[in-house]
């Protein structure tokens, strides 16, 4: 009954058009004040202790690094490198877009930032080269979603933070620890590369079928020149992932290092950004960070309410008594997350659902790292379809296309992503093999 009241109140507040973060906070305060005896002072304490996490500090640093790279000309050099490698194939510029999105995703951690950085250059270039605008916008809108699957990923940090305080038991009654940011980053490498390959395959097939233009083959001198110009940006991938795996620094420290590194190469190496532009980048990063941290704060309160009312434990007991296994449970999870993607953005979905789903998944023997990657892929799909798919709105602004037209344009790639979601859901080793081989599990 309490669960119905809590979720009913939350949905009612969201339907008024209220921001999700405020709806979460009001739901918690209203329920605690009117229907429980929990001291209201505990809310203030939870507000501070809930976000007192070292891992949360990674979020503003990754956002700052992504903004420096977006404004610092790194994306343009990565596009030139990608075009020199695959531009001579069918749909060469489209394949270059997929490859550039994958590379930029590995240094930004944000899908909208990837769409802006790559799309603002490549969509006009594809149209000028003779590609239909629908094709270019569809490639960018969907490939940009790689920004939250290929590490570093802000969504993965949010998953690790939101499940960090949850109590979970496996089928044998042993305590299950939540996934760390480092484990999730390594787990995202193989699925991220595999999805990039599948999106590229879809792009190649459509270009081959419709005989879209091909670029002249670049010689080895041109390829080496493009690589040399982009190498400073590519080194950031090695710096972040290599540093985490080698144990030189934690994911949070890696985020801080990436922000400083991005500042240095944007201002002093490539010199595409002036020192006078830095305050503007800092301000925009602070605004985005504040928005996400505010959502996290209210989501932590909501998680506290779920735990105090024993809702995850009640749902776990019900699932066990109903005989639902891990196969059916993961199918239900996918449906819930895909439906939620129609009305909410990824950070809110993860912060609300992860603390509830994590104990249930653990009780069914589902690894927390597998669940984290599965949720991240669902968030990718949600970014690419209306009514709140953020990538669609960003890409439509760049391509000057209506949302309905762009939605139709993304369908071939979106169907590829849905097929990949099924594969990730029921083949856990895609997510678990690499961190297990590296001794992280």
């Amino acid at each position: 009954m309490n669960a119905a009241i809590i979720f009913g109140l939350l949905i009612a507040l969201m339907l008024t058009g209220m921001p999700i973060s405020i709806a979460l906070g009001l739901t918690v305060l209203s329920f605690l004040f009117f229907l429980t005896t929990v001291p209201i002072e505990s809310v203030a304490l939870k507000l501070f202790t809930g976000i007192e996490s070292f891992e949360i500090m990674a979020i503003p640093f990754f956002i700052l690094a992504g903004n420096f790279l977006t404004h610092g000309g790194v994306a343009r050099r990565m596009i030139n490198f990608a075009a020199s490698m695959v531009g001579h194939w069918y749909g060469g510029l489209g394949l270059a877009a997929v490859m550039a999105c994958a590379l930029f995703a590995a240094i930004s951690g944000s899908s909208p930032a990837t769409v802006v950085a790559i799309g603002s250059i490549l969509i006009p270039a594809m149209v000028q080269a003779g590609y239909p605008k629908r094709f270019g916008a569809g490639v960018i809108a969907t490939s940009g979603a790689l920004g939250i699957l290929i590490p570093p990923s802000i969504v993965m940090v949010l998953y690790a933070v939101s499940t960090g305080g949850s109590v979970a038991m496996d089928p044998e009654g042993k305590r299950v620890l939540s996934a760390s940011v480092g484990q999730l980053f390594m787990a995202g490498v193989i699925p991220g590369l595999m999805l990039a390959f599948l999106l590229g395959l879809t792009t190649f097939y459509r270009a081959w079928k419709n005989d879209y233009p091909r670029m002249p083959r670049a010689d080895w001198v041109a390829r080496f020149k493009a690589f040399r110009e982009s190498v400073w940006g590519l080194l950031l991938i090695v710096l972040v992932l290599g540093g985490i795996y080698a144990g030189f620094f934690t994911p949070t420290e890696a985020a801080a290092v990436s922000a400083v590194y991005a500042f240095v190469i944007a201002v002093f190496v490539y010199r595409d950004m002036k020192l006078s532009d830095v305050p503007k980048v800092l301000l925009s990063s602070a605004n985005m960070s504040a928005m996400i941290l505010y959502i996290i704060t209210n989501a932590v309160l909501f998680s506290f309410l779920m735990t105090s009312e024993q809702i995850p434990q009640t749902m776990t007991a019900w699932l066990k008594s109903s005989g639902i296994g891990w196969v059916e449970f993961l199918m239900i999870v996918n449906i819930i997350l895909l439906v939620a993607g129609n009305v909410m953005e990824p950070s809110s979905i993860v912060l609300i659902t992860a603390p509830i789903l994590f104990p249930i998944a653990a009780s069914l023997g589902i690894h927390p790292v597998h669940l984290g990657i599965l949720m991240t892929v669902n968030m990718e799909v949600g970014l690419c379809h209306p009514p709140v798919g953020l990538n669609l709105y960003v890409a439509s602004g760049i391509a000057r296309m209506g949302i309905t037209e762009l939605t139709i344009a993304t369908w071939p790639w979106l169907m590829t992503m849905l097929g990949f979601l099924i594969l990730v859901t029921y083949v856990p080793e895609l997510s678990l093999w690499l961190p297990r081989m590296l001794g992280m599990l």
Side-chain angles (χ1 to χ4, degrees), residues 158-196:
L158 292 175
Y159 173 82
V161 169
S162 62
T163 58
S166 302
V167 178
M169 301 292 177
D170 67 10
E172 299 177 357
K174 297 178 182 178
R175 186 181 177 90
V176 177
L177 296 177
S178 61
S180 69
V181 175
Q183 290 172 334
L184 290 166
F185 279 7
M186 290 304 163
V189 172
I190 290 179
L193 294 177
M194 185 176 293
L195 180 57

Side-chain angles (χ1 to χ4, degrees), residues 66-92:
N67 280 342
F68 275 132
L69 296 170
T70 302
H71 292 85
V74 176
R76 175 168 49 82
R77 290 172 173 84
M78 286 188 169
I79 289 170
N80 291 338
F81 171 62
S84 71
M85 299 299 293
V86 298
H88 58 283
W89 295 351
Y90 277 104

Side-chain angles (χ1 to χ4, degrees), residues 61-142:
F61 284 124
F62 278 132
I63 291 173
L64 180 58
N67 280 342
F68 275 132
L69 296 170
T70 302
H71 292 85
V74 176
R76 175 168 49 82
R77 290 172 173 84
M78 286 188 169
I79 289 170
N80 291 338
F81 171 62
S84 71
M85 299 299 293
V86 298
H88 58 283
W89 295 351
Y90 277 104
L93 279 180
L95 292 173
V98 177
M99 184 175 174
C101 283
L103 292 172
F104 196 81
I107 58 177
S108 71
S110 168
S111 285
T114 303
V115 173
V116 170
I118 306 301
S120 58
I121 300 172
L122 268 180
I123 290 179
M126 280 193 271
V127 173
Q128 187 176 4
Y131 291 86
K133 187 185 290 187
R134 282 188 174 189
F135 178 82
V139 171
I140 294 294
T142 49

Side-chain angles (χ1 to χ4, degrees), residues 178-240:
S178 61
S180 69
V181 175
Q183 290 172 334
L184 290 166
F185 279 7
M186 290 304 163
V189 172
I190 290 179
L193 294 177
M194 185 176 293
L195 180 57
F197 172 77
L198 292 174
L199 292 174
L201 196 62
T202 305
T203 302
F204 176 85
Y205 172 75
R206 290 188 60 78
W208 170 78
K209 182 180 178 182
N210 296 287
D211 196 25
Y212 289 154
R214 303 163 67 177
M215 296 174 63
R217 180 189 292 269
D219 58 26
W220 287 105
V221 175
R223 291 182 182 183
F224 178 75
K225 181 182 178 182
F227 171 75
R228 187 184 61 192
E229 291 178 350
S230 64
V231 71
W232 289 105
L234 297 174
L235 279 175
L236 186 53
I237 304 172
V238 179
L239 185 66
V240 172

Side-chain angles (χ1 to χ4, degrees), residues 42-52 297-298 300-301:
S42 63
V43 173
L45 179 63
K46 195 63 183 176
L47 282 172
F48 287 97
T49 59
I51 60 172
E52 194 178 13
T297 303
N298 286 285
V300 164
L301 284 180

Side-chain angles (χ1 to χ4, degrees), residues 4-40:
I5 294 173
I6 292 170
F7 285 105
L9 181 58
L10 176 62
I11 293 172
L13 291 173
M14 287 169 53
L15 289 175
T16 65
M18 183 182 296
I20 293 171
S21 55
I22 297 177
L24 285 170
L26 279 179
T27 299
V28 174
L29 290 174
S30 301
F31 189 87
L32 290 178
F33 189 79
F34 292 108
L35 297 173
T36 70
T37 58
V38 176
I40 207 69

